[in-house]
C-alpha cells in the first residue's frame, strides 16, 4: 500500500483497504508510542496548520503527532493570516507548498479544502469542513475496532444533526467499512439524498446498510454504538439554538437510550460536548431554556459505557498515521 503524496480530504476518496491500512498504521504507531519507541522518520520536514475555526483536539493532535515524527509546525489561527481576506486559496496553496511538506486545513466549505489541494503540490489534510471531518473518522473507527475487535457488522446510531460534518462522515465511514449506520433524528436533519444514495451504493458492496428513522426507540434498539455531536456547529448562527434545542431534545442521549441499545453498547462523541453547565455556552443555554445538558446527559457522558476520552486520544495516533503514510 502506497499513499505517498495523497491528499486526505474525505473518506469517500479512499478504498476500504486503504482505510484499514491507515488504521493498522495508527495502531502500530500507538503501540510504539506507549512503549517509548521513537518514530521520527519525518525529521527535517515542516507542516502548516490552517485553522479558520477554533480547535482543541485537532490542533493538538497535529502538533504532537508532527513533533513525534520529527517535524516542525506553523499554526495559522482564525484571525492571524491573509487567507481569504487578502489572499485567495489558490495563491495561499502555492505559497505554502513552497515552504512546507504538508498542509492541514480546517474551515468552512469542503470546496475550499478541495481547491487548496488542487493548487498545492504537497499533501493537504482536511481538519474539518462543514461537510466532512475525515481525521475524526479514523479515530472513531480505531476506537470502535479496539473496543469490539472488528468493524464489519457493527451497528452505529447517530442522534442529532445528522446532515452536518459528523453525520455525513459517519455515514460514509460505516458504508466503507461494512457497518450499519442509522441516522436517528427528525427528517429535517437527515443527511442529503445525494450523499445517502452514494453511501447506499457503497454499502451494497461492503455488506453495510444506511437507515433513517425519526423514532428513538427503534433507531437505538440493539445498537453497538450510540454517537452524538453538538446541536449547533462552529460557524452557525447563535439564532438557531432555540430551534435546535426544541427540535433535537427528543434525540438527547440519555440512560434510557443506552439501556434500549443494550448492555454492551458504547457511547461516543467527537467532542466538545455540552453535558453540563460548566461552559460559557452551556451556562447561557441553561439560563435561557432551563436545561442542564444538551445532546447527552452528564450521567451517560461520565458512565463506563462512554469511550469519549479514548476516542480523543486516538485523534493523535490516527493523524500521525495519515501524515506518516502520505509524506
Ligand atoms: N473533535 C474535534 O475535532 O475537536 P476540536 O474541535 O477540539 O478539534
Ligand atoms: N459538528 C461540530 C463538530 C466539532 C468537532 C462542528 O462542526 O462544530
Amino acid at each position: 500500500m502506497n499513499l505517498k503524496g495523497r491528499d486526505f480530504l474525505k473518506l469517500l476518496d479512499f478504498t476500504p483497504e486503504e482505510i484499514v491500512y491507515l488504521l493498522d498504521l495508527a495502531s502500530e504507531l500507538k503501540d510504539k508510542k506507549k512503549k517509548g519507541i521513537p518514530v521520527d522518520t519525518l525529521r527535517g520536514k515542516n507542516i502548516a496548520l490552517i485553522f479558520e475555526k477554533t480547535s482543541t483536539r485537532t490542533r493538538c493532535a497535529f502538533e504532537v503527532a508532527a513533533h513525534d515524527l520529527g517535524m516542525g509546525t506553523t499554526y495559522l489561527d482564525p484571525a492571524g493570516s491573509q487567507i481569504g481576506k487578502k489572499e485567495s486559496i489558490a495563491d495561499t496553496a502555492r505559497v505554502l507548498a513552497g515552504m512546507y511538506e504538508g498542509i492541514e486545513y480546517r474551515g468552512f466549505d469542503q470546496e475550499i479544502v478541495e481547491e487548496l489541494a488542487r493548487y498545492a503540490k504537497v499533501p493537504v489534510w482536511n481538519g474539518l469542513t462543514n461537510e466532512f471531518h475525515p481525521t475524526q473518522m479514523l479515530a472513531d473507527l480505531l476506537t470502535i475496532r479496539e473496543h469490539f475487535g472488528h468493524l464489519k457488522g457493527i451497528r452505529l446510531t447517530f442522534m442529532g444533526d445528522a446532515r452536518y460534518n459528523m453525520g455525513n462522515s459517519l455515514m460514509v465511514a460505516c458504508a466503507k467499512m461494512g457497518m450499519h449506520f442509522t441516522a436517528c433524528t427528525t427528517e429535517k436533519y437527515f443527511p442529503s439524498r445525494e450523499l445517502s444514495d452514494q453511501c447506499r451504493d457503497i454499502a451494497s458492496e461492503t455488506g453495510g446498510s444506511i437507515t433513517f428513522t425519526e423514532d428513538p426507540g427503534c433507531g437505538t434498539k440493539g445498537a453497538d454504538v450510540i454517537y452524538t455531536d453538538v446541536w449547533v456547529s462552529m460557524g452557525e448562527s447563535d439564532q438557531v439554538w432555540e430551534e435546535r434545542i426544541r427540535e433535537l431534545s427528543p434525540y438527547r442521549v440519555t440512560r434510557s437510550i443506552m439501556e434500549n441499545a443494550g448492555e454492551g453498547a458504547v457511547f461516543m462523541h467527537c467532542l466538545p460536548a455540552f453535558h453540563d453547565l460548566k461552559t460559557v455556552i452551556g451556562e447561557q443555554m441553561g439560563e435561557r431554556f432551563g436545561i442542564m445538558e444538551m445532546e447527552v446527559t452528564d450521567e451517560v457522558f461520565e458512565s463506563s459505557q462512554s469511550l469519549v476520552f479514548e476516542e480523543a486520544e486516538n485523534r493523535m495516533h490516527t493523524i500521525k498515521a495519515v501524515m506518516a503514510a502520505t509524506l
Side-chain angles (χ1 to χ4, degrees):
M1 188 70 69
N2 183 0
L3 302 182
K4 299 281 175 228
R6 288 273 295 273
D7 299 311
F8 190 74
L9 305 179
K10 55 189 183 300
L11 237 44
L12 284 170
D13 302 335
F14 287 78
T15 64
E17 293 74 24
E18 288 169 340
I19 296 167
V20 169
Y21 168 77
L22 288 169
L23 296 177
D24 290 346
L25 181 58
S27 287
E28 186 190 321
L29 291 166
K30 181 174 180 175
D31 190 49
K32 289 201 167 124
K33 170 109 180 166
K34 301 278 173 199
K35 290 182 176 144
I37 303 168
V39 182
D40 53 355
T41 45
L42 297 176
R43 256 191 325 275
K45 296 189 191 295
N46 292 289
I47 61 166
L49 307 174
I50 305 172
F51 281 82
E52 298 209 85
K53 292 175 178 170
T54 52
S55 167
T56 296
R57 275 146 294 275
T58 310
R59 177 187 175 181
C60 295
F62 269 99
E63 291 206 10
V64 172
H67 182 264
D68 283 357
L69 290 167
M71 295 193 288
T73 55
T74 303
Y75 172 66
L76 296 161
D77 73 30
S81 76
Q82 315 283 25
I83 298 163
K85 296 166 280 286
K86 283 175 71 182
E87 191 156 35
S88 70
I89 291 297
D91 293 356
T92 305
R94 289 172 289 180
V95 169
L96 295 180
M99 301 184 201
Y100 296 93
E101 274 80 21
I103 305 168
E104 180 275 355
Y105 174 86
R106 163 172 288 198
F108 297 88
D109 295 341
Q110 180 72 15
E111 181 44 37
I112 300 173
V113 77
E114 302 272 352
E115 186 182 358
L116 190 67
R118 273 199 303 280
Y119 283 91
K121 52 184 192 308
V122 299
V124 171
W125 310 297
N126 177 1
L128 177 147
T129 58
N130 294 346
E131 292 87 349
F132 294 113
H133 196 2
T135 61
Q136 179 75 49
M137 290 310 101
L138 292 182
D140 294 348
L141 292 173
L142 181 65
T143 309
I144 294 168
R145 198 175 74 169
E146 284 174 345
H147 185 85
F148 292 100
H150 64 102
L151 292 172
K152 206 169 169 56
I154 291 287
R155 290 154 299 175
L156 183 148
T157 296
F158 181 89
M159 305 184 82
D161 184 359
R163 62 194 174 160
Y164 219 71
N165 43 27
M166 286 305 304
N168 287 343
S169 302
L170 285 163
M171 179 168 70
V172 173
C174 288
K176 288 272 177 185
M177 304 322 292
M179 295 161 64
H180 304 292
F181 174 84
T182 299
C184 180
T185 184
T186 61
E187 193 178 348
K188 175 176 163 185
Y189 297 98
F190 289 165
S192 73
R193 182 68 191 266
E194 192 189 348
L195 185 63
S196 51
D197 282 350
Q198 202 179 347
C199 287
R200 285 198 172 95
D201 285 347
I202 298 168
S204 70
E205 288 177 13
T206 61
S209 63
I210 309 295
T211 307
F212 295 166
T213 177
E214 293 194 312
D215 182 340
C218 294
T220 59
K221 186 91 202 146
D224 298 302
V225 181
I226 301 290
Y227 203 118
T228 191
D229 180 20
V230 290
W231 289 341
V232 178
S233 287
M234 289 182 279
E236 292 197 286
S237 159
D238 279 348
Q239 308 292 320
V240 299
W241 271 110
E242 185 180 357
E243 173 188 274
R244 292 288 162 81
I245 289 172
R246 185 167 21 87
E247 294 172 345
L248 294 176
S249 285
Y251 302 96
R252 173 177 296 128
V253 181
T254 60
R255 186 183 1 179
S256 73
I257 290 285
M258 293 308 293
E259 282 171 359
N260 187 51
E263 240 176 64
V266 297
F267 170 72
M268 293 178 70
H269 191 310
C270 53
L271 306 183
F274 291 116
H275 59 96
D276 58 25
L277 302 183
K278 295 177 193 160
T279 60
V280 173
I281 293 175
E283 195 183 342
Q284 283 169 3
M285 296 308 137
E287 273 170 24
R288 276 177 68 189
F289 304 106
I291 50 174
M292 298 294 291
E293 44 224 350
M294 283 192 264
E295 69 273 12
V296 57
T297 63
D298 196 46
E299 187 182 21
V300 170
F301 186 89
E302 296 291 355
S303 72
S304 58
Q305 283 170 292
S306 172
L307 297 185
V308 295
F309 297 111
E310 288 87 336
E311 188 184 356
E313 181 192 320
N314 281 338
R315 296 298 309 285
M316 199 283 285
H317 305 299
T318 45
I319 280 172
K320 191 187 278 181
V322 169
M323 294 196 289
T326 56
L327 289 182

